[in-house]
Amino acid sequence: MLVYPSGVDVSSSALRFLTQQLRRHRRTIGSRWRRLSAGRQALLALAHLRVGHTYAQLAAGFGVGTTTAYRYVTEAVELLAVLAPSLAETVRTASVKAFLILDGTLLPIDRIAADRPFYSGKHKRHGMNVQVIADPFSRLLWASPAMPGAAHDIRAAREHGIVDALAEAGIKCWADKGYRGAGGTVRIPYWGRWKTLPTGQKAANRSHAKIRALGEQAIATLKSWRLLRKLRCSTTRITTLVQAVLTLHLASSE
């Protein structure tokens, strides 16, 4: 395999944050020697998450074995995932915001037609459903555990307790028509064909769409980590990957 210099479009603050976590972890477990320093291991993990390099590519670039690359990435991802904020913590932090934006996205996975629970009829592909909460400035605040893609957005929001948590906190939330019937403080556009809606409802829907577009920017932020654009790992690991990416994003945004 040929090796060449390349770059990773991640802020240095994310690298420093992950390096600190790895150093602390190594001291805790009493690890005395590694093939890579904490900084190099952090860079390896960031290259995997941000660019989506395979373990074989990472192994060749960093001069380690494929198994070692896998072990280093897994260790870093698990350390980051446990630091991700919970829904309750996010709601408490966001209680001072004027409103929040709730939206769902599908993370594509490499499954076959027989894997029906992972097939999204809306997107016409296999994937995992992830719910995202953003603030009025389109900043990503929280991402939910991943559910099979066949789950509808309203079902996912209810199972994760998002609707109840927002209602208890009294936080207004804007969402699309996929959350029809959610109740609580969730606001969706007026239902019906565009041509039959009154002028006032059309204007309200236009304003609603502009606000929801901010949520799309938060989803784009999540998917800027290219590993999440096409996941080829076990579906049981996807929640951990999403939480790791969320932690890195929040750490580099502070």
Side-chain angles (χ1 to χ4, degrees):
M1 185 176 294
L2 298 176
V3 179
Y4 66 96
S6 184
V8 182
D9 56 338
V10 178
S11 68
S12 58
S13 60
L15 178 62
R16 289 194 299 270
F17 174 80
L18 181 52
T19 300
Q20 291 171 359
Q21 299 302 319
L22 289 170
R23 285 174 179 163
R24 187 177 297 115
H25 175 68
R26 290 185 181 190
R27 287 195 298 268
T28 300
I29 65 176
S31 179
R32 297 183 178 180
W33 183 85
R34 296 284 187 97
R35 288 293 302 275
L36 297 180
S37 66
R40 293 287 288 171
Q41 182 183 352
L43 182 59
L44 181 147
L46 290 176
H48 178 68
L49 293 171
R50 187 69 174 189
V51 188
H53 286 324
T54 65
Y55 298 119
Q57 291 172 321
L58 294 171
F62 284 83
V64 297
T66 303
T67 303
T68 301
Y70 171 81
R71 188 172 65 251
Y72 280 0
V73 169
T74 301
E75 182 181 49
V77 166
E78 290 177 351
L79 283 175
L80 291 169
V82 298
L83 298 175
S86 66
L87 176 60
E89 292 170 340
T90 301
V91 170
R92 283 197 300 270
T93 303
S95 60
V96 297
K97 309 239 181 234
F99 62 89
L100 296 177
I101 304 160
L102 172 64
D103 202 356
T105 187
L106 188 80
L107 302 181
I109 60 175
D110 59 342
R111 289 298 183 270
I112 60 175
D115 296 315
R116 297 302 299 176
F118 300 99
Y119 184 78
S120 169
K122 175 183 177 181
H123 298 276
K124 308 300 181 185
R125 64 191 308 178
H126 293 78
M128 300 293 284
N129 181 301
V130 172
Q131 299 295 298
V132 170
I133 293 179
D135 71 3
F137 300 98
S138 74
R139 291 181 294 222
L140 176 64
L141 299 180
W142 182 78
S144 74
M147 291 182 63
H152 196 274
D153 283 339
I154 180 61
R155 174 192 161 193
R158 284 172 173 162
E159 291 198 14
H160 293 312
I162 299 172
V163 177
D164 291 339
L166 294 174
E168 290 177 6
I171 303 176
K172 294 180 181 179
C173 176
W174 266 246
D176 61 28
K177 293 180 179 179
Y179 297 88
R180 184 185 185 190
T185 57
V186 178
R187 300 290 181 263
I188 65 170
Y190 285 103
W191 194 267
R193 293 181 178 275
W194 180 259
K195 294 182 179 179
T196 61
L197 290 177
T199 302
Q201 292 184 1
K202 288 181 179 179
N205 280 5
R206 289 193 191 97
S207 176
H208 196 283
K210 291 179 181 179
I211 295 174
R212 290 199 335 269
L214 300 174
E216 295 292 339
Q217 294 179 33
I219 290 176
T221 297
L222 187 67
K223 290 188 174 181
S224 66
W225 298 80
R226 289 181 279 280
L227 181 70
L228 300 182
R229 296 180 188 176
K230 183 64 175 181
L231 290 156
R232 295 177 174 83
C233 61
S234 169
T235 55
T236 59
R237 294 189 60 230
I238 294 177
T239 292
T240 305
L241 291 170
V242 171
Q243 298 302 309
V245 167
L246 175 63
T247 298
L248 284 170
H249 169 71
L250 294 176
S252 61
S253 301
E254 293 178 352

